[in-house]
Amino acid sequence: MNRHTRLLALSALVAAPLVAAPTALAAVPQSPLAAVPAATCSVSGVLENGKVHLSGGGFTPGPAYVFGSAGFGGTVEIAQNGGFQIMNVPPAQYSVRQGGELTQCSGFSG
């Protein structure tokens, strides 16, 4: 084999994997994005003083609005870890609205 023929053959061997790589990568199924944790909140059991604690997690840091069936409501600041706590609120069914999402709180059976 002369030098020119060997150089062409070697070039083809080196180039083939480079040409095939994008095709091979395209054939690999893409993994879905990591699931965003679902926001949850819950009402504690009724305390000795007749009140409950409300807590939640999985929210986006920033403001959210909490409202309950007993008329209690207000803005709560969601911490950087996605959680919040509201102490000593009237027992009621609570919901948290953040952006366009509404999360029903569990734990109240009034």
Side-chain angles (χ1 to χ4, degrees):
M1 219 189 245
N2 68 25
R3 185 174 187 185
H4 181 67
T5 305
R6 278 185 281 171
L7 184 57
L8 285 174
L10 183 59
S11 296
L13 287 174
V14 170
L18 296 176
V19 171
T23 305
L25 289 175
V28 174
Q30 299 297 318
S31 62
L33 296 176
V36 176
T40 61
C41 64
S42 62
V43 178
S44 72
V46 178
L47 305 171
E48 289 179 17
N49 64 2
K51 304 281 183 152
V52 298
H53 294 325
L54 183 63
S55 61
F59 291 90
T60 301
Y65 187 75
V66 176
F67 54 97
S69 60
F72 175 84
T75 302
V76 64
E77 188 67 24
I78 306 296
Q80 287 300 312
N81 66 4
F84 74 91
Q85 288 189 25
I86 304 173
M87 312 300 258
N88 292 317
V89 296
Q93 177 62 54
Y94 285 93
S95 299
V96 179
R97 181 175 301 282
Q98 188 177 44
E101 298 294 317
L102 181 66
T103 302
Q104 298 291 329
C105 301
S106 63
F108 180 73
S109 59

